[in-house]
Amino acid sequence: MYKKVLAAIFCAALTASSFASCGKDEGTGTTDADNTATTGSTEAYVPPTAENVDIANFTEPQKGDTIIEMKIKDYGTVKFRLFPEYADKGVQNFVELAKKGYYDGLKFHRVIQDFMIQGGDPLGNGTGGESIWGGKFDGGTDPHLIHVAGALAYANSGGTSSDGSQFYVVTGTKYTDEDLTSLEQKGYAFSDNSKAMYKTIGGAPWLDGNYTVFGQVIDGLDIIFKIQCVSVNQSSSMPLKDVIMESVTVGEYDGEEIRWYITDYDEFDADEIKASTGKENVTVSNFTAPVEGETIVSMKLKGYDHPVRIKLFPEYADQGVENFVELANRGYYNGLTFHRVIKDFMIQGGDPNGDGTGGESIYERGFDGGTDPHLIHAAGAVAYANSGNTATNGSQFYIVTGEKYDESTIQQLEDGGYAFTDNEKKVYSTYGGSPWLDGSYTVFGQVFDGLDVVFDVQNVEVDDATDKPKEDVIIESVTVEKYDGGEVRWNISDYNG
């Protein structure tokens, strides 16, 4: 078995701005082995090969050579050797951006253990960045540079012609002959020299030929390996606590010691790093009762006598609340439907197209509502749907139904990498919800009356392919009101039936 090689993960992990193919598809790509099986050939399978050039990643720099020094807050400085002889445009772009201070203050927005750490996006969510030429550029690839541990390369959105400012540093894992053979049988080609390095040093070999490698860590590789251990949001791979590049500067190599390999460094406790970068146990505010005179939203659904009443949280989601209130005041939601309903998960609406493709915000474009740890995806939470991150919020929203989680289920999620605070555990075991959404979607409200209506809607008959109700669930009106001191019922168990 080759380690942690999941096509869905690595495509998403290195994508800048959009999700796209990472070259050969591990799951469906046609290979020589496939052809043998379908044609009935009796010839022995011969794996694809690559030219056996010298691998340059670990070529020592000369005194006076240009290097990059990256100071990472709370961790230290990482130094990189550059390879203009094999990646001239890639090096030029990175050096000039660094001289401009482009990377200073940016964060590593995506971290996947045993794979890589990714940064260089001024938007901080994987959708932004540009080159010194004002857009994208083609950095190409060169067989002398491969994705061994410590390699520095550009993220792209489907090919090296979409290189920009986003980059990643490889951590990876070591590969056995069996692992590499498994990859070869799926169409990947490796030279003998690259195989030797992946077996002794480790890396991410399936990326070779699809991404522009232009540098290699010469000191501070332990810092990169420490960062890959931080606690992250499981759906976005974004660190729960920001990992910030204080500065990225251009310097000259002065002959200092080079430490290429992780074995050159002192050992560290990965579990300790994960624990120290986990979630803060803040108070969960979803069930804070509204006070008399406070702005609330009342949503009336066709065929239901009782409205769904929603408390808003401008203190934690100011833009999200402003957007929803203004759209409601305009009558935007009146007559729209819940176009997507999934039992034990959520009901989704707010799209004037009625199919999940439309909607807009009160702002010029979509808006970034962000996330706040005080608001989580408990049953009854109201949040914005998005198309990959909170910067794409619009008018579409959903109301969580979810299900309750007992200790064993929470433990299973934790074993799978999800992180819960004690306060979150208490909420999800008492009220239920959809915890895997936390940190990726803007929660801005909570149903405090009419939750039974929401749970009733989640039981309607839907189309299996689209999750669209077979009979329209229509929002008659969404009105903005002042709380009058009426009954507050947070938990579905507070309702009869």
Side-chain angles (χ1 to χ4, degrees), residues 299-321:
M299 182 181 298
K300 179 71 169 62
L301 305 188
K302 185 176 181 180
Y304 293 88
D305 294 333
H306 194 76
V308 177
R309 306 176 80 196
I310 301 168
K311 174 182 169 59
L312 303 171
F313 297 91
E315 64 272 37
Y316 299 121
D318 54 348
Q319 281 193 295
V321 169

Side-chain angles (χ1 to χ4, degrees), residues 338-349 377-386 396-403 433-434 436-437 441 451 454-460 462 466-469:
F338 281 97
H339 62 272
R340 187 174 179 229
V341 171
I342 302 176
K343 183 175 173 58
D344 296 330
F345 181 26
M346 58 90 221
I347 66 173
Q348 182 175 340
H377 284 81
V382 187
Y384 284 104
N386 66 49
Q396 290 191 48
F397 66 92
Y398 58 92
I399 306 177
V400 176
T401 56
E403 53 189 337
S434 301
W436 62 88
L437 300 178
Y441 299 86
L451 188 62
V454 175
F455 272 68
D456 216 21
V457 171
Q458 77 162 347
N459 290 313
V460 300
V462 300
T466 63
D467 298 316
K468 184 169 184 170

Side-chain angles (χ1 to χ4, degrees), residues 94-172:
F94 201 84
V95 166
E96 291 303 317
L97 288 176
K99 286 180 177 179
K100 292 178 181 180
Y102 185 94
Y103 292 115
D104 299 353
L106 302 189
K107 64 183 182 180
F108 285 96
H109 62 271
R110 183 169 285 145
V111 172
I112 300 179
Q113 192 165 3
D114 296 331
F115 183 19
M116 58 89 226
I117 68 173
Q118 182 177 341
D121 175 12
L123 300 182
N125 57 23
T127 65
E130 60 182 357
S131 72
I132 58 172
W133 297 284
K136 305 299 183 182
F137 73 99
D138 193 343
T141 65
D142 191 288
H144 295 87
L145 298 174
I146 64 175
H147 284 82
V148 286
L152 174 65
Y154 285 106
N156 67 49
S157 53
T160 58
S161 61
S162 57
D163 290 349
S165 62
Q166 289 190 49
F167 66 90
Y168 58 93
V169 188
V170 175
T171 56

Side-chain angles (χ1 to χ4, degrees), residues 152-427:
L152 174 65
Y154 285 106
N156 67 49
S157 53
T160 58
S161 61
S162 57
D163 290 349
S165 62
Q166 289 190 49
F167 66 90
Y168 58 93
V169 188
V170 175
T171 56
T173 57
K174 291 182 182 180
Y175 282 72
T176 65
D177 286 322
E178 181 184 3
D179 297 331
L180 294 168
T181 298
S182 294
L183 287 172
E184 287 178 326
Q185 289 174 344
K186 294 182 179 295
Y188 294 89
F190 306 107
S191 68
D192 290 342
N193 288 340
S194 65
K195 285 182 182 180
M197 288 195 172
Y198 285 125
K199 289 191 292 184
T200 58
I201 298 162
W206 68 89
L207 300 179
D208 289 346
N210 292 310
Y211 299 86
T212 304
V213 178
F214 64 96
Q216 184 73 31
V217 174
I218 58 173
D219 194 32
L221 187 62
D222 58 332
I223 292 171
I224 303 299
F225 272 68
K226 287 176 182 177
I227 292 171
Q228 76 161 347
C229 297
V230 301
S231 291
V232 300
N233 178 289
Q234 289 300 304
S235 60
S236 66
S237 298
M238 184 177 289
L240 298 178
K241 294 184 178 179
D242 286 348
V243 180
I244 299 172
M245 291 176 274
E246 289 187 324
S247 65
V248 178
T249 56
V250 180
E252 291 186 357
Y253 178 63
D254 63 4
E256 66 264 34
E257 181 185 6
I258 292 176
R259 296 186 291 172
W260 298 114
Y261 316 117
I262 193 60
T263 53
D264 295 333
Y265 301 84
D266 293 336
E267 292 185 2
F268 58 87
D269 190 332
D271 290 336
E272 184 178 315
I273 293 172
K274 185 174 289 292
S276 67
T277 55
K279 293 181 179 179
E280 183 182 355
N281 192 33
V282 300
T283 301
V284 175
S285 299
N286 292 57
F287 305 107
T288 307
V291 297
E292 194 164 345
E294 181 179 326
T295 298
I296 64 168
V297 166
S298 182
M299 182 181 298
K300 179 71 169 62
L301 305 188
K302 185 176 181 180
Y304 293 88
D305 294 333
H306 194 76
V308 177
R309 306 176 80 196
I310 301 168
K311 174 182 169 59
L312 303 171
F313 297 91
E315 64 272 37
Y316 299 121
D318 54 348
Q319 281 193 295
V321 169
E322 181 184 16
N323 182 67
F324 198 80
V325 166
E326 179 58 30
L327 288 176
N329 280 331
R330 294 177 185 177
Y332 186 94
Y333 292 115
N334 299 348
L336 302 189
T337 64
F338 281 97
H339 62 272
R340 187 174 179 229
V341 171
I342 302 176
K343 183 175 173 58
D344 296 330
F345 181 26
M346 58 90 221
I347 66 173
Q348 182 175 340
D351 175 13
N353 294 344
D355 59 6
T357 64
E360 59 187 344
S361 73
I362 62 172
Y363 310 103
E364 184 177 353
R365 298 179 180 176
F367 70 98
D368 192 344
T371 64
D372 191 288
H374 294 87
L375 299 176
I376 65 175
H377 284 81
V382 187
Y384 284 104
N386 66 49
S387 54
N389 57 71
T390 58
T392 58
N393 291 343
S395 61
Q396 290 191 48
F397 66 92
Y398 58 92
I399 306 177
V400 176
T401 56
E403 53 189 337
K404 292 183 180 180
Y405 289 78
D406 58 23
E407 287 186 13
S408 63
T409 307
I410 288 175
Q411 185 61 56
Q412 288 175 12
L413 288 171
E414 288 181 321
D415 291 343
Y418 287 88
F420 296 94
T421 66
D422 289 342
N423 289 337
E424 290 170 346
K425 288 180 182 179
K426 184 175 181 180
V427 167

Side-chain angles (χ1 to χ4, degrees), residues 7 10-12 14-15 18-26 28 156-160 162 188 207 210-211:
F10 72 68
C11 283
L14 298 182
T15 299
S18 64
F19 297 112
S21 170
C22 289
K24 292 184 177 65
D25 186 325
E26 282 194 31
T28 60
N156 67 49
S157 53
T160 58
S162 57
Y188 294 89
L207 300 179
N210 292 310
Y211 299 86

